[in-house]
Amino acid sequence: MRIAEWGEDRPAERKGTESSGTPRRRPCCRRTRGAGGPERDDVGRRGDAPRLRPRPERPAGCGRATVRRLLSTSQSSVDPKEMRKFQLLAHRWWDEQGEYSALHSMNDIRVPFIRDTVLNMGSAYQRGSPLSGVKILDVGCGGGLLSEPLGRLGASVTGIDPLEENIRAADQHKSFDPVLAKRIQYKCGSLEEIVEESVETFDVIVASEVVEHVADLEMFIKCCSQVLKPGGSLFITTINKTQLSYILGIVVAEKIAGIVPEGTHEWEKFVPPEELERLLEANSCSVKTVNGMLYNPLTGSWSWIESTSINYALHAVKSGDQAQTSQTEPLSEMESEQCSATAGTSV
Amino acid sequence: MVSSRDFRPRCDARDVTSAAMAAACGRGLLAPLGGRLRACPRASLRSLTSAAPLYDVVVSGGGMVGSAMAAALGHDIHFHDKKIALLEAGPRKEYHLPESYSNRVSSISPGSATLLSSFGAWDHVCNLRCKPFRRMQVWDACSEAIITFEKDDLDDMGYIVENDVVMSAVTKQLDAVADRVEVFYGSRAVGYTWPLPSHSCDTSPWVQVELADGRRLQTKLLIGADGHNSVVRKEAEIQNIEHQYDQSAVVATLHLSEATDNNVAWQRFLPTGPIALLPLSDTASSLVWSTSHEHASELLTMDKESFVDSINSAFWSNVNHSDFIDAAGAMFRSALSLLKPSGTAVRQLPPSVANVDPESRAVFPLGMGHATEYVRHRVALIGDAAHRVHPLAGQGVNLGFGDIACLTHHLSAAAFNGQDLGSLKHLLRFETERQRHNVSLIAAIDLLKRLYSTSLSPLVLLRTWGLQATNALPPVKEQIMAFASK
């Protein structure tokens, strides 16, 4: 079954939605879209600064018995346009020389980053399984490229992705290894959907190469914070919104060198670390580390760099009583500052 | 880049291969398994093999190198929760140190000793039996040229250890990690099924191994350590550059005429091939004499006295000298001593042999081989399966131990990063590192063998001067020693 066919079948199930390339319209709207520019929410906002429209519908591709909601008051961070991009490539996840080769080689730096940070936070180290006993949520897991190494290191991983094709590819790939099949669980859905049943259940959340595809970043971060245990870690890798990232990340990577398939990224949705930090602080997560990353297309490998102008990785810790503190962490200082600040202003 | 390493699926039976393999392996018939050496249609395999136990690493071949590989992985900290299997066709041998020395010995370099001690086997070796040597003297039979190697601090240059002792020490350490490493004795692998490249994953992505008794195993990484006639290498269709030398090696255990501080390894290049005397104890040495096939069978069958006489005359006789070469050599030596007043090292005389152990004489053919690729997707070759050399440099097993050290390092790092063990990424790094080291050494050994196989004057002159010059340059000698002892 070709993936394209799967996409084409969808219109029969729902009317005038994602497969036709646009979100659901209100009758009087006319949409305009510049080349690579932001989508405009037309209802009474023409000419305003671009604003990402809230998604009124459940994302496509999620099970045959989907309840079709015409309009929902809850917001979702999933963008169907983004999902469509990935739908076509769902069967290419595990080709190490294919479209996702850069993500495969990113494991060489992001897995050690996660592993070492978690080990340094002081949990007991079990030989051979450095992450055993750690519950990890991999948001936007795709085909499971990051979930599997984390699972091999002993963690219990829950991978979520809004696209069912991705979950299917991930499930199929892990099914051959009985150890991984037990340690990793994949669920189709968005972060918001699991918030209610998973409040404060995860030690670590990993959102790698996800926030630049998310529709509502504020809500995404809020949900991450809700689902994370106090003292838990949040790891985000994404792309900065700078001129350099436009040149290298979009022009070179997509159009010239073909490192990522064209149209994968939109510069407008790139997130500068300052913005991410602001959102995290607002949700009681303190940022511990921000590291720049650089991809070398000639060797196909990633490395850490000082500058965060293009790609970067961020580690934040949710504040809370169960925070694991080491001597070098300023967390306790910040906590006491916050406490005194709020104490001063509380009514 | 790596598409050439993907296997082409084949479904046809190959009886020719099975017969050829049976002959090559020198074992019994593979008749019942005749046509099953190629994969069955892959789609159906999933249901069949889902029941076969899955291992993280399977090492095929339980010789010195294969067993050491399994032991090294078993003792590695990052393999603590992994499952490793070692397949050995022979039965398990209980080893009791005999009075007499075995005729199969190896020269273990300091680097190999370090590897063995990394998983605790070197202590067992020392407790059983081993002889360190401090000096190596190599000289020509056609001239007076001589080269000696020794470490500045008079440290041990290497160790002469019987192969059985190494095996016993490694087996003991394998037993110590029996919860992680499962050793299958009496299990010969008769068939391998290779997985399709990872992205077309409707069928099992693991290597399927079929044993002679019908059992099946699955593994994420198959390591072929099954000797120079490697079945793994053949099944993987990895090209092997090989060449049979027109020489055989005669080995024997010799008794010296008088007890001596036996810590020098002697080697003399005769026109028919090098003869080496490796110290085993103060009164015993091991012989490795590479010579033509006819001379080798003569040596095997002649009586003890004649055998001992041939050895002694091989080391002492100057019958191959010619005046011209001697004069030229002497002239060069005096020229060198002008440049380097300290002069070349003093020539020592090898000990004379009095007796040979009964039934310790044996012959085995010599050849050279090198696999063009050491790795494929989910396959790696180590030891003689990857490369085979002439014993003249005492490097054969050391190259294998070097492979183990390198591969263990890369696999350990991959395991600590949660990577798929059979992934070509780190396997290629292992291959690059080892090929860089091995190819130059193997080429040099082959070159030396050919250079010293002749008594033609121009070449003798060349090698005489070359040897004398090298002997006069300590930095060059140190480089050679460092390279060979890694």
Side-chain angles (χ1 to χ4, degrees), chain A residues 92 94-97 104-105 108 111-112 115 119 125 127-130 149 152-153 172 175-178 183, chain B residues 2 46 54 77-78 80-81 198-199 201-206 220 415-420 423 425 429:
Chain A
R92 305 290 298 163
W94 287 99
D95 180 3
E96 288 189 25
Q97 273 69 45
H104 275 279
S105 56
D108 290 343
V111 173
R115 174 199 75 210
L119 282 179
Y125 173 69
R127 296 167 116 217
S129 303
R152 280 195 204 102
L153 291 178
Q172 197 213 32
S175 66
F176 293 105
D177 186 341
R183 287 199 189 137
Chain B
V2 295
R46 187 164 177 192
L54 174 66
I77 186 174
H78 298 129
H80 220 255
D81 61 344
S198 47
H199 53 274
C201 213
D202 294 325
T203 54
S204 173
W206 315 127
K220 299 177 188 172
F416 195 43
N417 283 348
Q419 283 166 12
D420 179 0
S423 159
K425 238 180 0 191
R429 278 186 224 133

Side-chain angles (χ1 to χ4, degrees), chain B residues 75-223:
Chain B
H75 284 261
D76 187 272
I77 186 174
H78 298 129
F79 271 75
H80 220 255
D81 61 344
K82 307 255 186 279
K83 285 173 65 180
I84 303 162
L86 174 65
L87 303 176
E88 165 56 28
R92 186 191 167 99
K93 289 181 218 155
E94 292 305 328
Y95 184 68
H96 306 284
L97 193 69
E99 277 289 328
S100 57
Y101 287 87
S102 154
N103 58 5
R104 295 304 305 270
V105 305
S106 300
S107 159
I108 304 287
S109 69
S112 303
T114 308
L115 169 77
L116 289 172
S117 62
S118 75
F119 55 87
W122 188 245
D123 288 332
H124 300 312
V125 169
C126 294
N127 290 338
L128 283 169
R129 200 154 59 189
C130 92
K131 185 79 172 89
F133 62 91
R134 303 236 163 81
R135 202 157 166 272
M136 205 190 312
Q137 178 169 304
V138 180
W139 72 111
D140 203 337
C142 299
S143 75
E144 295 283 331
I146 183 173
I147 187 168
T148 56
F149 294 98
E150 62 191 328
K151 285 206 174 153
D152 279 335
D153 43 0
L154 291 184
D155 212 1
D156 296 333
M157 272 186 68
Y159 310 88
I160 305 296
V161 187
E162 293 153 85
N163 292 358
D164 288 339
V165 168
V166 175
M167 268 311 304
S168 159
V170 173
T171 307
K172 219 163 170 179
Q173 286 309 100
L174 272 178
D175 292 340
V177 286
D179 52 338
R180 257 164 273 153
V181 183
E182 216 177 312
V183 186
F184 291 80
Y185 288 103
S187 312
R188 185 171 20 101
V190 294
Y192 299 99
T193 307
W194 309 115
L196 293 167
S198 47
H199 53 274
S200 42
C201 213
D202 294 325
T203 54
S204 173
W206 315 127
V207 177
Q208 316 289 332
V209 181
E210 182 166 347
L211 302 179
D213 56 8
R215 280 183 295 175
R216 303 186 84 105
L217 309 171
Q218 300 187 80
T219 177
K220 299 177 188 172
L221 173 65
L222 174 70
I223 299 181

